[in-house]
Amino acid sequence: MSENFKEAFEKTRIAGSIAAGALDEVSKIIRPGISTDQIDKTCYEFIHDHKAYSAPLFYRGFPKSCCTSVNHVVCHGIPSDKILRNGDIMNVDVTAFKEGWHGDTSRMFKVGEVSIKAEKLIQTTYEAMMKAIKVVKDGVFLGDIGSEIQSHVESNGFSVVQDFCGHGIGKSFHLEPNVLHYGKKGTGEKIKSGMIFTIEPMINLGKFETKTLKDGWTAVTKDKSLSAQFEHTIGVTNDGYEIFTLPSSLTN
């Protein structure tokens, strides 16, 4: 790996660990009765305390430091005074910007006791992301990532959102390539050592179609079915991959 790649990996590793740490803090406060604004405040303060910046804040006009997507919200939910209730599921998406580099990650949280269907949806989404990450190495195709996710998700009876995708990331928040979460093996761009991008499948309990609300951000399932998402920022090494956004509580 070249010296340029080493710097990029080192800086992304730092930003990614801060983003993951913010979600670890969220896991400590999740319970029925708290608001999504409280989650936003927790993320902002943790990132700020680590001398980093919450990249979503004011990005293209986004008003908050993280995205909180509850139940049938697919992504880009805006934190508010909305109170979480027992049985809710929620994705929290954070991006830390530190010393010129970004680390982007999201995680699902269960509020109290959730339904068996919700449990399976969350588990399948996480498995799909990890299965896709494990095929990443120099020389494979982006389509291999999408195929791995789509086959696992559809075999479990769920659907893959097609309106949003993973993306390159580095000194800018969103870069090429686009990383689709569906597709065919052997298609798309070849992955090369040194690339840094996100894998962030959004999976619906019902059909895959989404729509964006009038606020211009909040994307929801058209059929109002539950949706789940996980996201990691990864780097392609000479012999595989590195995950930059692993939570401290997990060893995957």
Side-chain angles (χ1 to χ4, degrees), residues 19 27 43 47 51 86 117 154 171 214:
S27 70
C43 290
I47 291 170
K51 296 180 171 56
N86 185 61
K117 283 185 177 180
E154 292 181 354
K171 290 184 176 180
K214 290 179 181 179

Side-chain angles (χ1 to χ4, degrees), residues 184-243:
K184 294 182 180 180
K185 288 184 178 180
T187 65
E189 182 181 342
K190 267 194 178 181
I191 296 169
K192 297 177 182 177
S193 177
M195 279 184 167
I196 299 174
F197 53 81
T198 70
I199 296 178
E200 48 181 298
M202 300 166 210
I203 308 305
N204 294 347
L205 187 64
K207 296 181 179 179
F208 69 84
E209 290 90 356
T210 71
K211 65 178 180 179
T212 300
L213 301 184
K214 290 179 181 179
D215 61 24
W217 285 104
T218 308
V220 300
T221 55
K222 275 192 175 179
D223 61 7
K224 297 186 178 179
S225 64
L226 293 177
S227 188
Q229 179 191 18
F230 283 90
E231 174 182 16
H232 275 316
T233 297
I234 67 166
V236 185
T237 64
N238 292 327
D239 55 358
Y241 61 88
E242 177 179 349
I243 303 175

